[in-house]
Amino acid sequence: MDKIDSFRGEYKFLSNFYETPVKYNGLVYSNNEAAFQAQKSIDMRIRLVFTGMNAPSAKKHGRKILLRNDWEQVKDTIMYEICLEKFKQNPELKQELLATKDAHLEEGNCWGDKEWGTVNGVGKNKLG
């Protein structure tokens, strides 16, 4: 296995949309996407709203909230920390990740995200 080019099917567990609990900054979210979108605000009341959201709802709602002032400076670190916590807190997913061994992980997508993933192999692939 040289390359995993999408986080769907057998590798859906790699996606931030995969429904598995993750605790971050004292709150438990239903998935990584909700945890990430919640961090766009420093208001704990807003973050709390995200704890019960599925991933598509969290992504949609995250586009509507006022971004914290330092968002562009902290978003990569926050994403890294949330992903790390997902696999630390869910041992079965950690084992699945380790089973990918040295495969190149690429979050290939068709919705145009070249920041966190790739489109037709082009992009920063920060989630990979």
Side-chain angles (χ1 to χ4, degrees):
M1 173 178 10
D2 299 323
K3 181 179 179 180
I4 295 168
D5 61 5
S6 75
F7 297 171
R8 292 184 285 274
E10 180 183 356
Y11 300 107
K12 181 180 179 182
F13 73 95
L14 295 168
S15 171
N16 278 348
F17 276 50
Y18 188 78
E19 293 293 327
T20 193
V22 61
K23 184 176 183 180
Y24 187 72
N25 280 345
L27 296 175
V28 178
Y29 300 91
S30 300
N31 54 72
N32 275 23
E33 188 67 23
F36 179 72
Q37 296 295 335
Q39 305 317 303
K40 289 180 173 181
S41 174
I42 57 171
D43 185 334
M44 286 302 282
R45 294 170 298 177
I46 292 174
R47 288 182 180 179
L48 190 59
V49 171
F50 282 89
T51 61
M53 287 187 188
N54 64 28
S57 294
K59 185 172 184 175
K60 182 178 179 181
H61 192 68
R63 290 182 175 138
K64 298 175 185 175
I65 62 173
L66 182 64
L67 294 178
R68 56 194 276 178
N69 292 335
D70 63 348
W71 182 243
E72 289 304 315
Q73 290 76 42
V74 300
K75 68 181 181 180
D76 291 356
T77 299
I78 289 171
M79 181 66 84
Y80 174 80
E81 291 172 351
I82 291 170
C83 288
L84 183 63
E85 288 303 318
K86 171 184 173 178
F87 293 104
K88 283 173 60 177
Q89 295 171 27
N90 296 281
E92 70 286 355
L93 298 182
K94 178 181 177 180
Q95 290 308 311
E96 288 187 57
L97 176 60
L98 291 172
T100 65
K101 299 187 180 180
D102 292 332
H104 173 75
L105 303 179
E106 192 169 304
E107 208 260 342
N109 66 82
C110 59
W111 51 89
D113 183 354
K114 293 182 181 179
E115 180 77 13
W116 299 107
T118 64
V119 178
N120 298 320
V122 177
K124 293 180 182 175
N125 195 39
K126 291 180 179 179
L127 279 174

